Amino acid sequence: MTKKMQKTLENTRFHGVPIISVAAKPGGPDAPESETAQGIGELIELLKSQTYLPKRDPSGPFLMAVDHCFSIRGQGTVMTGTILSGSVSINDSVEIPALKVTKKIKSMQMFHKPVSSAMQGDRVGICVTQFDPKQLERGLVCSPDSLCTIHAAIISVKKISYFKHPLQTKAKFHITVGHETVMGKVTFFSKPVRETEKGQTSNRFDFEKEYLYQDEYLSKDTRLAEEDKENQEVGERLLPKEQWALLEFEKPVTCPRLCLVIGSKLDTDIHANMCRLAFHGVLLEGFEDKNYTEVYLPKLKLYKIKNREGQVERV
């Protein structure tokens, strides 16, 4: 069984991982009580060797992902979730950016114990007053004025290899940012291959440079790589090292910069044997102005390569 599992994982990111056989009660439920468990101690030691304490940073603006909101009679409204960044204390003011509402924290609890403060990584419940829980099921809570609501964005983009369909420019996808999922139109672009430098990844988008418009996301599965079937390495060198996408949302979304963005086709048949997640990326720039097509898009320098063919009849 171990060899079979190793063979199954051979072509995945889990290639070479240790596999430990475990039996909580060897022989099954009818085995005598004298039978001791096998492999559990070894498994625990392996898990302990792989775990670590994450570094938590209390500095920076407070940001919390809320996954549940409910009222307690005589107390107020409780929002529970995980703190993604920063820290918070009792009597701090917090904003619900999706509703443009600011409230003061009355009390806080962590695992049913009252606390006066919490920081990044903590699971916490914060209580506020005079807020209807029906207005917020899931979403973000943050320091006042620390998040923006955007109508479009530029992201770094990577195609999910299990999505077998092409990613076409001007196609519409379901765009998930945090707890929000909205429809959005996508436009792909990249730098010319000759201008691409190795290791040139950055958390900021450079509006001063020119970018090549693409009809679709380019990968080794596209026609660009198929043009050189005899030499696959040459074909792969024709692919850009980095690609970006302009996302234009049908409804504005509220999110932090550098957050994860996922594009998917959720309208496909759920019973079909296919991956519905199409691409993922990091949000680099967000456009807050509703008239972003006039204010921001002129700064994005995209160009197309065009050529014309003709025939000379007389010289």
Side-chain angles (χ1 to χ4, degrees):
M1 179 60 73
T2 299
K3 290 183 178 180
K4 186 176 180 180
M5 293 182 67
Q6 289 173 340
K7 184 67 176 177
T8 302
L9 301 173
E10 190 174 22
N11 296 323
T12 71
R13 60 183 295 187
F14 302 106
H15 170 68
V17 298
I19 298 176
I20 299 175
S21 301
V22 174
K25 190 173 183 181
D30 298 328
E33 295 296 330
S34 58
E35 291 288 342
T36 59
Q38 297 179 2
I40 292 182
E42 186 181 355
L43 176 62
I44 292 174
E45 290 302 318
L46 178 63
L47 292 175
K48 287 168 64 176
S49 67
Q50 299 295 320
T51 55
Y52 64 95
L53 290 176
K55 294 182 179 179
R56 298 183 177 182
D57 184 8
S59 63
F62 167 70
L63 178 63
M64 174 178 169
V66 175
D67 51 48
H68 193 37
C69 186
F70 57 93
S71 62
I72 298 179
R73 189 171 183 178
Q75 296 293 325
T77 298
V78 176
M79 297 178 285
T80 63
T82 303
I83 299 178
L84 303 179
S85 66
S87 60
V88 68
S89 302
I90 293 176
N91 294 325
D92 284 355
S93 294
V94 295
E95 180 186 7
I96 305 169
L99 304 174
K100 305 298 182 185
V101 172
T102 301
K103 294 293 181 181
K104 181 177 287 188
I105 297 177
K106 177 184 177 182
S107 60
M108 300 169 55
Q109 282 191 1
M110 290 175 55
F111 300 102
H112 304 289
K113 294 183 179 180
V115 294
S116 59
S117 63
M119 62 180 291
Q120 182 187 47
D122 288 336
R123 174 80 182 174
V124 66
I126 60 177
C127 180
V128 299
T129 57
Q130 297 180 344
F131 178 68
D132 186 358
K134 295 180 180 179
Q135 292 184 289
L136 181 70
E137 180 181 1
R138 297 186 303 170
L140 296 173
V141 174
C142 62
S143 300
D145 301 322
S146 62
L147 289 187
C148 58
T149 300
I150 59 176
H151 298 266
I154 292 177
I155 68 168
S156 61
V157 63
K158 296 285 186 183
K159 182 179 180 181
I160 295 175
S161 59
Y162 297 106
F163 187 80
K164 299 305 180 183
H165 297 284
L167 304 180
Q168 302 283 356
T169 283
K170 296 185 179 179
K172 288 188 176 182
F173 291 87
H174 292 85
I175 309 298
T176 301
V177 184
H179 288 305
E180 295 187 69
T181 299
V182 299
M183 292 298 295
K185 185 176 69 173
V186 62
T187 301
F188 295 103
F189 57 93
S190 65
K191 288 182 183 177
V193 177
R194 294 177 182 177
E195 296 183 15
T196 304
E197 300 175 4
K198 292 184 179 180
Q200 192 190 359
T201 57
S202 173
N203 289 334
R204 288 204 169 273
F205 183 78
D206 191 352
F207 283 96
E208 297 300 320
K209 295 185 177 181
E210 295 182 343
Y211 299 90
L212 176 62
Y213 173 92
Q214 298 175 181
D215 291 322
E216 61 181 337
Y217 179 90
L218 301 180
S219 67
K220 61 184 180 180
D221 299 325
T222 60
R223 291 187 299 273
L224 180 61
E226 293 177 358
E227 290 178 359
D228 197 336
K229 295 181 180 179
E230 296 181 359
N231 192 336
Q232 186 176 0
E233 292 184 1
V234 174
E236 290 183 356
R237 282 202 300 269
L238 294 175
L239 298 175
K241 301 296 182 183
E242 286 185 90
Q243 297 182 62
W244 294 269
L246 169 67
L247 303 179
E248 300 178 75
F249 306 120
E250 291 188 355
K251 295 192 299 182
V253 296
T254 302
C255 59
R257 187 175 171 274
L258 300 180
C259 65
L260 174 66
V261 179
I262 298 175
S264 53
K265 283 287 190 181
L266 300 180
D267 51 352
T268 55
D269 185 7
I270 61 173
H271 301 293
N273 186 21
M274 62 174 291
C275 177
R276 299 196 293 169
L277 303 180
F279 62 86
H280 65 94
V282 175
L283 193 146
L284 302 177
E285 298 288 343
F287 303 146
E288 298 181 56
D289 198 316
K290 190 175 182 180
N291 299 318
Y292 66 91
T293 55
E294 302 173 4
V295 178
Y296 293 106
L297 291 194
K299 300 178 183 179
L300 180 59
K301 302 172 184 176
L302 296 185
Y303 69 91
K304 297 180 181 180
I305 296 178
K306 294 183 178 181
N307 56 31
R308 291 186 178 182
E309 296 182 2
Q311 184 175 0
V312 178
E313 296 183 355
R314 179 181 299 179
V315 177

